[in-house]
Amino acid sequence: MSDLNIIVESFEKKFSNIKSKEELQNLKSEFFGKNGLISSEFKKMNTLNPEDRKTFAKSLNDIKNQITHQIEKRFKDFENQTINEKLKSEKVDVTLPTKITHNGKIHPVSQVIDEISSIFSEIGFSVAEGPDVESEYNNFTALNTPENHPARDMHDTFYLDKNKKTLLRTHTSPVQIRTMSNGKPPFKIIVPGRTYRCDSDQTHAPMFHQLEGLHIDKNITMGHLKGCLNYFIREFFEVKKIKMRFRPSHFPFTEPSAEVDIGYKVENDKIVIGEGDKWLEILGCGMVHPNVLKNTNVDPSKFQGFAFGMGIDRLAMLKYGINDLRAFFETDYRWLNHFGFDPLDIPTNYRGLSR
Ligand code: PHE
């Protein structure tokens, strides 16, 4: 057997026993290293006559290529094997249930916003938003509340500049303006969000939350407003019947305007919503004033509708029996642990809002 055949045979034998990348690397050096078996054969070439050299060189090159190819292929296999093992060990089973490792809670205000959004989405409202820092125009002027209008003083506004051109919005109503001036009717939105007034006691905080509602279309009437609010209150407080009354009121941006009270009674120191002969004021509402529609380029001879605004914190306090508003914003973990909600219980109408 020629030297070359012996080399090939020895390679095949060793190659078939290779078990790791390191062993393969050693084998490669054994054949191709400086004094490797193949390299040494190349050195022999100088000693041959030109004729023999030609045939020898050809065979040697063939062998070299064949062995190199085998080694490289095996290196690739080892690499793929490592990747596959890694993929296997790092696989995440997304069907496994979540393991709760900490007890974070959802704040009652966030919970109530989720509940409200779910209730209104059932009847076709979508959620709109606007910034906390507003222009004086959107917050007042466009809402039919010109300068020197007494309603401006009633809002205890936080102004952000000397000229009183920017402010922290005192209600969510400016989002009515933003929505209507940037779109085309019909509009059917709710707006949950932060609002600010310079006021603080057991039932007032300088930052609080409001929910705005706006429904503008061709034939929307006060009847729709009543039906909508009645549905909302029943769903929200999870009661079948609700006593409600609409009291005439005044807002510059609605005409006619009303305040809505719901009936309640106190039983064993607990408030029972929906029945009884006591009244609780919960929101302001009315038919959107034609001037507001004009200011947002909506034609009041073609479109009309209602708007309402209510305090979200008040609703949360009533529903969950919390009696001091200030605790909402004190970030006391013990309080949150007591009044907070499970993050995985997403409120929906059909599965139950707060159970
Ligand atoms: N923006 C009013 C407030 O903050 C509430 C309201 C909204 C009244 C929409 C009527 C219509 O008091």
Side-chain angles (χ1 to χ4, degrees):
M1 208 192 295
S2 77
D3 281 359
L4 290 185
N5 280 345
I6 293 175
I7 290 177
V8 172
E9 209 162 83
S10 117
F11 172 78
E12 295 292 353
K13 206 164 156 201
K14 288 181 174 167
F15 184 73
S16 64
N17 284 326
I18 292 291
K19 288 193 186 62
S20 69
K21 218 171 158 181
E22 289 71 36
E23 282 176 21
L24 186 62
Q25 187 59 48
N26 290 340
L27 186 67
K28 189 177 174 187
S29 315
E30 196 180 325
F31 284 78
F32 294 102
K34 215 167 166 204
N35 296 313
L37 292 172
I38 300 276
S39 317
S40 315
E41 290 299 318
F42 272 104
K43 281 178 199 153
K44 277 186 196 160
M45 272 207 281
N46 295 336
T47 62
L48 298 176
N49 64 44
E51 264 314 279
D52 291 344
R53 195 187 295 168
K54 224 175 173 182
T55 39
F56 182 78
K58 186 173 181 315
S59 322
L60 186 56
N61 259 327
D62 286 350
I63 290 171
K64 184 196 133 196
N65 289 340
Q66 182 200 330
I67 292 183
T68 312
H69 177 74
Q70 271 175 288
I71 291 180
E72 292 311 319
K73 188 173 172 296
R74 197 65 195 273
F75 267 125
K76 274 248 163 64
D77 289 349
F78 276 127
E79 237 163 65
N80 286 339
Q81 199 180 330
T82 328
I83 292 176
N84 285 337
E85 273 162 19
K86 220 173 160 190
L87 280 178
K88 233 189 226 160
S89 66
E90 288 176 3
K91 195 167 89 178
V92 178
D93 183 352
V94 289
T95 63
L96 281 176
T98 317
K99 194 170 156 202
I100 308 261
T101 50
H102 58 91
N103 296 320
K105 289 282 178 82
I106 299 291
H107 195 286
V109 170
S110 306
Q111 167 76 16
V112 164
I113 290 178
D114 286 348
E115 292 179 18
I116 292 173
S117 307
S118 168
I119 296 171
F120 279 102
S121 74
E122 289 285 311
I123 52 169
F125 283 81
S126 46
V127 176
E129 280 179 321
D132 295 7
V133 175
E134 254 305 353
S135 65
E136 163 281 325
Y137 178 80
N138 284 343
N139 195 84
F140 290 123
T141 311
L143 285 162
N144 201 32
T145 317
E147 223 172 306
N148 303 324
H149 192 290
R152 289 204 182 196
D153 301 332
M154 280 159 52
H155 277 202
D156 303 311
T157 311
F158 286 113
Y159 286 99
L160 298 176
D161 62 345
K162 274 202 198 101
N163 300 330
K164 298 191 170 180
K165 286 290 170 218
T166 40
L167 44 78
L168 291 174
R169 65 178 178 190
T170 58
H171 50 180
T172 40
S173 303
V175 185
Q176 288 188 32
I177 304 300
R178 286 176 176 271
T179 305
M180 291 195 284
S181 15
N182 290 322
K184 287 210 154 44
F187 303 103
K188 198 173 182 185
I189 53 152
I190 54 163
V191 186
R194 291 195 174 120
T195 45
Y196 305 81
R197 287 182 206 178
C198 189
D199 203 353
S200 182
D201 61 33
Q202 190 173 344
T203 54
H204 294 91
M207 188 280 293
F208 56 105
H209 298 84
Q210 274 195 346
L211 178 86
E212 192 82 10
L214 175 74
H215 188 186
I216 303 287
D217 207 334
K218 291 221 164 99
N219 295 305
I220 300 298
T221 68
M222 200 108 183
H224 295 111
L225 170 64
K226 284 177 114 171
C228 173
L229 291 175
N230 193 282
Y231 155 80
F232 166 69
I233 298 294
R234 272 186 290 122
E235 289 287 318
F236 181 73
F237 287 106
E238 297 169 67
V239 292
K240 291 224 158 53
K241 266 194 170 166
I242 191 93
K243 245 172 98 178
M244 253 179 137
R245 80 178 174 195
F246 283 66
R247 258 184 306 107
S249 183
H250 174 79
F251 300 103
F253 34 90
T254 45
E255 182 59 38
S257 304
E259 273 171 326
V260 175
D261 303 335
I262 51 174
Y264 78 100
K265 64 179 179 194
V266 180
E267 230 173 46
N268 304 326
D269 281 344
K270 280 220 164 94
I271 292 185
V272 181
I273 300 283
E275 45 192 304
D277 46 17
K278 291 189 154 70
W279 294 103
L280 201 70
E281 183 198 319
I282 57 154
L283 62 90
C285 61
M287 299 305 289
V288 175
H289 198 291
N291 286 349
V292 176
L293 296 175
K294 271 184 222 150
N295 290 340
T296 55
N297 291 324
V298 175
D299 184 350
S301 68
K302 292 199 180 107
F303 291 97
Q304 61 180 39
F306 64 77
F308 58 82
M310 58 183 120
I312 292 178
D313 316 88
R314 273 287 287 297
L315 289 178
M317 289 169 78
L318 278 175
K319 182 163 178 180
Y320 295 113
I322 306 168
N323 51 28
D324 192 338
L325 176 66
R326 287 167 296 194
F328 274 58
F329 311 118
E330 275 169 0
T331 343
D332 183 338
Y333 184 69
R334 293 160 304 175
W335 182 87
L336 189 58
N337 214 18
H338 182 74
F339 286 109
F341 292 83
D342 189 327
L344 296 177
D345 260 351
I346 295 160
T348 54
N349 285 49
Y350 49 90
R351 270 192 317 205
L353 290 171
S354 58
R355 274 167 288 238

